[in-house]
Amino acid sequence: MLSPEELSALYISAKVAGCATLVSLPVAVLTAWWLARYEFRFKFLVEAVLQIPMVLPPVVLGYLLLIVFGGNGWIGQWLQQWGIQLAFHWQGAVLASIIVAFPLMVQPIRLSFQMINRQLEQIAGSLGASPLKVFCSISLPLALPGILMGSILCFSRSLGEFGATITFVGNIPDETRTIPIAIYSLLQQPDGEQMALRLVLLSLGLAFAALLANYWMMQKYQRKIQEC
């Protein structure tokens, strides 16, 4: 049985990861489609910017978020005028997770769009379908496996986010203490190793389940391609 502290960390982690995935999904789909369909000057710079969170130390990313979205940040001050506070709030943890996990979501979706037979879209367009209808009825359904894989990767990465989150939103019980932060906190306590071990095992189980789901989706998609 999990203690109330462990259940709180699990709930906050699931809430943060779920919100990060839902908010990222529309932007990731449009970004992936744009990168897959268009060639333009300095495209490599756009791709490099998208990949920066993958190579930047998480603590550095969290510090940059604190500078920009903190109470004294140039965006944070403007948001506070509208009653929105991100620093040291669970919504800030959602923002940190979005930035860290966004590249992982975009890549499989982009690959799915690139593998679509463009002739199907061209035929639909020649029959009078608008670009929006072609996208919604042809491109989006065919890219669904990549969208699901990207969502799984984003959700699982958000569950494990630590460095940027603790730097930007801190370690506040029942507010920003996710599973990784709870494990870190418990390891600092003399009698917290047992609870930390339970959370570690829970994290391993969640990560393994996410990888299995991702593997199953990839195998199913590959079989579908081979059949076609």
Side-chain angles (χ1 to χ4, degrees):
M1 296 295 294
L2 297 176
S3 66
E5 182 179 358
E6 294 168 317
L7 290 174
S8 174
L10 178 60
Y11 169 72
I12 294 173
S13 293
K15 179 172 66 172
V16 169
C19 290
T21 303
L22 292 176
V23 173
S24 299
L25 186 57
V27 182
V29 170
L30 293 178
T31 302
W33 178 81
W34 177 53
L35 292 174
R37 288 289 182 265
Y38 293 97
E39 295 293 334
F40 51 90
R41 193 176 183 183
F42 302 122
K43 182 179 179 180
F44 69 96
L45 290 179
V46 176
E47 295 178 344
V49 171
L50 288 175
Q51 296 300 322
I52 282 179
M54 298 290 294
V55 297
L56 198 66
V59 175
V60 174
L61 181 60
Y63 180 67
L64 293 176
L65 289 174
L66 194 60
I67 292 176
V68 177
F69 294 97
N72 297 323
W74 58 282
I75 295 181
Q77 291 179 341
W78 179 77
L79 290 176
Q80 283 188 344
Q81 296 177 0
W82 296 90
I84 301 174
Q85 179 181 351
L86 295 178
F88 307 106
H89 193 273
W90 73 269
Q91 294 176 355
V94 173
L95 176 61
S97 296
I98 288 174
I99 294 177
V100 171
F102 190 76
L104 289 175
M105 176 178 272
V106 169
Q107 290 305 318
I109 301 176
R110 177 185 178 180
L111 182 61
S112 291
F113 280 125
Q114 289 176 336
M115 296 179 66
I116 293 175
N117 188 347
R118 297 292 300 275
Q119 292 182 348
L120 297 175
E121 299 173 334
Q122 294 170 357
I123 292 173
S126 66
L127 294 175
S130 64
L132 179 60
K133 188 173 182 179
V134 171
F135 175 78
C136 294
S137 61
I138 303 296
S139 305
L140 202 59
L142 292 176
L144 185 58
I147 294 174
L148 293 176
M149 285 186 283
S151 300
I152 292 172
L153 290 175
C154 179
F155 184 84
S156 57
R157 179 64 183 86
S158 299
L159 284 176
E161 167 52 32
F162 174 76
T165 301
I166 196 172
T167 306
F168 182 43
V169 300
N171 182 7
I172 306 174
D174 299 326
E175 180 66 33
T176 64
R177 183 173 289 180
T178 58
I179 290 178
I181 298 177
I183 293 172
Y184 173 80
S185 300
L186 290 169
L187 290 176
Q188 311 305 312
Q189 303 175 11
D191 56 346
E193 291 187 3
Q194 185 176 0
M195 286 192 295
L197 180 59
R198 287 201 297 265
L199 288 178
V200 167
L201 295 176
L202 178 61
S203 299
L204 288 172
L206 292 173
F208 188 68
L211 290 174
L212 285 179
N214 187 53
Y215 176 80
W216 179 78
M217 286 298 305
M218 291 183 65
Q219 292 296 315
K220 185 176 181 180
Y221 190 44
Q222 289 176 355
R223 287 196 299 267
K224 184 176 180 181
I225 293 176
Q226 292 174 357
E227 291 175 358
C228 294

